[in-house]
């Protein structure tokens, strides 16, 4: 866990400074300055990050985490979780609270 936090922090610092990453990959800031490809938005990053986590694909997790700042990724993941719980609650005809507790394996309140 600490390795992923350390990796996220390192990418954040590299992006802020515009330095290339390990393996010669340019940071997001450097790529934007050079006119490479368009930047990913936080919802694309969150969707890629969560799906990679669900599939336990560490390479994709790290790639998606590098697309946006850790704060933006956290916001996107939170928004995705809220939308997913609401969609499941509507599908199941249950309250979002009941669905969230069920997904986490908690007893119903």
């Amino acid at each position: 866990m600490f390795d992923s936090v350390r990796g996220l922090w390192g990418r954040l610092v590299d992006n802020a400074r515009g330095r290339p990453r390990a393996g010669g990959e340019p940071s997001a800031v450097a790529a934007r300055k050079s006119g490479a490809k368009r930047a990913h938005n936080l919802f694309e990053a969150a969707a890629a990050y969560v799906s990679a986590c669900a599939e336990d694909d560490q390479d994709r997790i790290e790639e998606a985490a590098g697309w946006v700042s850790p704060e933006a990724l956290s916001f996107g993941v939170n928004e995705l979780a809220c939308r997913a719980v609401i969609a499941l609650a509507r599908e199941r005809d249950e309250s979002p609270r009941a669905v969230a507790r069920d997904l986490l394996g908690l007893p119903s309140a």
Side-chain angles (χ1 to χ4, degrees):
M1 178 173 156
F2 289 108
D3 287 337
S4 35
V5 171
R6 205 175 358 203
L8 286 172
W9 180 254
R11 280 192 295 281
L12 175 64
V13 170
D14 286 347
N15 281 341
R17 294 180 180 162
R19 291 192 310 201
R21 296 191 197 142
E25 182 184 349
S27 69
V29 171
R32 278 194 299 267
K33 287 180 182 176
S34 69
K37 7 181 202 178
R38 72 172 184 83
H40 297 275
N41 73 37
L42 67 101
F43 296 115
E44 289 174 324
Y49 182 83
V50 169
S51 63
C53 287
E55 296 168 358
D56 197 26
D57 185 339
Q58 191 62 38
D59 291 336
R60 285 181 41 222
I61 290 170
E62 291 175 7
E63 177 186 2
W67 291 349
V68 295
S69 72
E71 296 84 7
L73 183 61
S74 176
F75 174 81
V77 168
N78 182 56
E79 186 66 23
L80 178 59
C82 290
R83 291 179 187 197
V85 167
I86 290 168
L88 277 173
R90 288 179 181 156
E91 184 179 295
R92 295 180 181 183
D93 198 28
E94 296 178 8
S95 73
R97 182 178 183 184
V99 170
R101 293 183 68 81
D102 182 51
L103 287 172
L104 292 171
L106 300 172
S108 55

